[in-house]
Amino acid sequence: MTSQPTQKTAGSAGPAGPAPGGHGLQAGLKNRHLSMIAIGGVIGAGLFVGSSSGIATAGPGILLSYALVGTLVVLVMRMLGEMSAANPTSGSFSAHADRALGRWAGFSIGWLYWFFWVVVLAVEATAGAVILEGWIPAVPQWAWALIVMVVLTATNLVSVGSYGEFEFWFAGIKVVAIAAFIVIGGLAVFGLLPGVDSDQAGISNLTEHGGFLPNGAGAILTGVLLVVFSFMGSEIATLAAGESENPQQAVTKATNSIIWRVAVFYLGSIFVVVSLLPWDSKSIADDGSYVAALDSLGIPHAGQIMNFIVLTSVLSCLNSGLYTASRMAFSLGERGDAPRAFARTTGNGVPRTAILASVVFGFVAVFFNYAYPDSVFLFLVNSSGAVALFVWLVICFSQLRMRKIIQAEAPEKLVVKMWLYPYLTWATAALIVFVLGYMLTDTEHDGRKTVLLSLLVAALVLVTAFVKEKVGRGRAARVEVIASAEPRDEVKTG
């Protein structure tokens, strides 16, 4: 790969100035990388392994749950796209919140987002290790977790281009696999697939077996709680855009394509699953929704095929999670909200310290998963569980303020605009608050525990932010007093 010109991300000169020894991030991501990162970002491993519990809870009505959350994601991404197209930066929504709402907001949501992704590193590394141990049992599970973490850390340390290349192929496999699933499954649903004679398949599965909402309308909201976190990752394209050749174009393209991505990959694939099989089929609960659907088509080795696809999704999520956590740490370092070493980059534009710090915490979380799975690690998972909703809420409030700032300073940068501003932004924020409130009533799926623990961690980070800001103001005031006193001393001695 030919070297790309150095490109400092927009707004990279934080309050404390550029980090010493830093070269800045580089525009090492190509258009094809950004396109696949944007497409693959909405397809997480949670779609493949977590949808069965949602189907069991809401029946075919889970389609409405996915549609509701998908609409929420589309609206939030539209707001984020508006801000990021006007000011592409590796800090994305954290940098926007910093400017729109205050240093405390950028600090808090940035660290919470970093915390979310380093915990995800441990979750995904363990999930991948389980699959790999099943294929090669001679290597223990903890060793597989270590291997995948080390390999992907090395990939991220080489250059942003190597991350982009790995993600291009990981995401490509996911996209091709789910597209093939939708096409083959759709043909079977409508009786157009040669060689398949399934008495179970058909649109009638949506209304039979207790109806479209067999467990009542309330199950739609419960389904929302089960699927909302599988959408986390759609915002990665806005962080990666800061290291692309044409950030504004990349953000605009990712924002405009989010609707069909959610519609096709989430709603399309779940529609196929609940049409191929009755929602209460025992195989969905025992084998997982996608494996059960493949088995119903008579596809041999369906379980192993899905294991390979899930492993690819896990590696993709690990790869992107490490990239995302390190870039957020880099941005926090540039703005003086993290150790200045986080903002230093190598000659290849890689924030090495930010990557290593993120992966070290990931390794610690993996250790807790094996040593204390039901105490320390469970706390980490639950306390980061509602961060996605916190991030989306902050994006809403940031956009309300940033629209006015952009219009006043550079209205020509509003190449992406939020629909029906500000009414739809307020409606989206209200919906997020409603979902958080509903989670507090959910004891069956640990919704209440997740929100309360996440609020506890958020409160700790907020207190840290305000203390840091107060200390910073005190230091600035002392420096100003000293500086103003120096000229008077010179006059006296003169």
Side-chain angles (χ1 to χ4, degrees):
M1 173 184 286
T2 57
S3 61
Q4 299 290 345
T6 300
Q7 174 181 315
K8 292 284 288 185
T9 56
S12 61
H23 300 275
L25 301 179
Q26 294 185 6
L29 293 175
K30 299 178 180 178
N31 288 335
R32 64 182 178 89
H33 293 154
L34 261 296
S35 296
M36 198 56 74
I37 289 170
I39 295 173
V42 296
I43 310 174
L47 173 64
F48 298 110
V49 299
S51 54
S52 56
S53 58
I55 293 172
T57 299
I62 194 66
L63 285 168
L64 297 180
S65 302
Y66 274 103
L68 187 60
V69 180
T71 301
L72 190 62
V73 170
V74 167
L75 294 173
V76 170
M77 277 298 295
R78 188 74 186 182
M79 299 177 217
L80 181 55
E82 176 182 295
M83 296 184 289
S84 295
N87 183 26
T89 169
S90 61
S92 187
F93 51 83
S94 174
H96 304 322
D98 191 305
R99 188 178 183 199
L101 305 177
R103 289 286 298 279
W104 65 270
F107 176 96
S108 302
I109 205 63
W111 277 114
L112 284 173
Y113 191 70
W114 179 86
F115 173 59
F116 171 86
W117 279 110
V118 293
V119 172
V120 166
L121 292 182
V123 174
E124 300 295 344
T126 304
V130 170
I131 296 173
L132 289 167
E133 186 189 31
W135 290 344
I136 308 177
V139 180
Q141 193 179 116
W142 66 265
W144 278 122
L146 181 66
I147 290 170
V148 296
M149 289 274 277
V150 168
V151 169
L152 293 178
T153 300
T155 299
N156 276 265
L157 285 172
V158 173
S159 69
V160 67
S162 63
Y163 153 73
E165 199 63 33
F166 267 72
E167 188 57 22
F168 176 81
W169 292 106
F170 285 152
I173 292 172
K174 288 192 298 185
V175 170
V176 170
I178 200 165
F181 174 81
I182 292 172
V183 171
I184 295 172
L187 291 173
V189 168
F190 294 102
L192 302 175
L193 188 64
V196 173
D197 182 21
S198 175
D199 295 332
Q200 300 181 94
I203 300 296
S204 59
N205 281 325
L206 298 177
T207 54
E208 294 179 354
H209 311 281
F212 185 71
L213 295 172
N215 297 323
I220 297 173
L221 291 175
T222 305
V224 166
L225 306 186
L226 296 175
V227 306
V228 65
F229 304 111
S230 65
F231 282 83
M232 193 67 164
S234 55
E235 72 290 333
I236 293 176
T238 64
L239 281 88
E243 294 176 81
S244 67
E245 297 168 345
N246 192 332
Q248 188 179 77
Q249 182 185 32
V251 169
T252 302
K253 187 176 180 181
T255 303
N256 290 336
S257 64
I258 186 69
I259 297 176
W260 71 259
R261 286 185 278 137
V262 168
V264 171
F265 296 120
Y266 277 88
L267 294 179
S269 64
I270 295 298
F271 170 80
V272 168
V273 169
V274 294
S275 298
L276 283 175
L277 290 168
W279 70 272
D280 55 355
S281 172
K282 189 173 182 296
S283 59
I284 291 180
D286 293 344
D287 304 326
S289 53
Y290 287 82
V291 173
L294 290 175
D295 272 332
S296 73
L297 298 177
I299 296 177
H301 310 294
Q304 292 304 320
I305 292 173
M306 189 51 59
N307 276 339
F308 173 74
I309 296 171
V310 171
L311 178 62
T312 303
S313 296
V314 163
L315 295 177
S316 172
C317 193
L318 260 175
N319 195 38
S320 289
L322 183 53
Y323 171 84
T324 304
S326 65
R327 268 37 177 200
M328 185 58 72
F330 169 85
S331 178
L332 289 166
E334 279 200 314
R335 287 178 274 143
D337 290 336
R340 297 299 306 283
F342 284 11
R344 295 194 183 103
T345 57
T346 66
N348 290 333
V350 174
R352 179 188 298 161
T353 305
I355 290 174
L356 293 176
S358 300
V359 82
V360 163
F361 193 95
F363 278 128
V364 171
V366 169
F367 168 75
F368 284 141
N369 191 16
Y370 288 107
Y372 310 103
D374 299 323
S375 54
V376 179
F377 186 72
L378 188 61
F379 169 80
L380 291 176
V381 172
N382 285 331
S383 61
S384 65
V387 167
L389 293 169
F390 295 165
V391 167
W392 296 348
L393 196 58
V394 167
I395 289 173
C396 292
F397 291 125
S398 298
Q399 190 266 337
L400 286 169
R401 174 71 180 133
M402 279 298 293
R403 167 66 77 90
K404 297 177 181 177
I405 294 175
I406 299 170
Q407 283 179 327
E409 296 181 356
E412 71 279 0
K413 291 186 176 182
L414 279 173
V415 293
V416 176
K417 289 186 178 181
M418 176 59 184
W419 306 297
L420 297 177
Y421 168 86
Y423 309 108
L424 203 49
T425 301
W426 279 112
T428 304
L431 180 58
I432 295 170
V433 171
F434 173 77
V435 172
L436 284 168
Y438 188 78
M439 287 181 71
L440 289 173
T441 68
D442 175 50
T443 56
E444 183 180 354
H445 303 99
D446 289 334
R448 176 183 295 174
K449 183 187 295 183
T450 297
V451 172
L452 292 177
L453 289 178
S454 295
L455 285 173
L456 172 64
V457 172
L460 293 174
V461 176
L462 274 171
V463 169
T464 304
F466 284 122
V467 169
K468 180 181 180 300
E469 195 168 343
K470 185 175 181 180
V471 171
R473 281 200 301 264
R475 287 176 179 172
R478 287 196 296 271
V479 170
E480 187 176 344
V481 169
I482 294 172
S484 62
E486 287 178 353
R488 288 194 294 272
D489 292 340
E490 290 176 4
V491 171
K492 290 177 181 179
T493 57

